[in-house]
Amino acid sequence: MATVAVTDATFDAEVRQSDIPVVVDFWAEWCGPCKQIGPALEEISEELKGKVKIVKVNVDDNPNAPAQMGVRGIPALFVFKNGEVVSNKAGAAPKASIKGWIEGAI
């Protein structure tokens, strides 16, 4: 399962109403660290297929969802379980670190 692009309009349906935990990556095209973790998130989405869904929200195109979540800097990652935030972290990190954080949260 590759990462899924989510918009302000689809945020609730894709994230808050998901049957499985969801990792939300708030990112932007111009953000170097965001591009750095992108491939790792794609790989993790395959490795944890069925256990977690990883979605990406472009903050430039979709300002409402990050504003509701209080995102001040990107990349910003949030783990949702049963529609609620259970963990979040900001900034880039190595793939193993991100995967470990996700597995610890779900």
Side-chain angles (χ1 to χ4, degrees):
M1 168 191 272
T3 59
V4 178
V6 170
T7 64
D8 284 339
T10 62
F11 190 85
D12 279 349
E14 290 284 353
V15 177
R16 296 188 195 277
Q17 297 166 14
S18 176
D19 294 337
I20 63 172
V22 181
V23 176
V24 181
D25 172 25
F26 290 101
W27 72 288
E29 215 35 75
W30 48 265
C31 168
C34 299
K35 289 184 175 184
Q36 194 176 14
I37 66 169
L41 290 172
E42 292 289 339
E43 291 173 18
I44 294 167
S45 73
E46 286 297 325
E47 293 166 11
L48 298 179
K49 188 185 238 172
K51 295 181 187 166
V52 68
K53 175 167 66 170
I54 299 181
V55 303
K56 297 172 79 67
V57 177
N58 183 319
V59 298
D60 289 336
D61 298 338
N62 304 284
N64 294 342
Q68 288 173 358
M69 300 305 304
V71 173
R72 290 200 169 92
I74 54 173
L77 300 170
F78 288 78
V79 177
F80 282 78
K81 226 171 152 175
N82 300 319
E84 301 292 326
V85 174
V86 293
S87 187
N88 69 302
K89 69 186 284 151
K95 177 186 169 188
S97 172
I98 295 171
K99 186 175 180 185
W101 169 72
I102 292 170
E103 289 175 324
I106 63 172

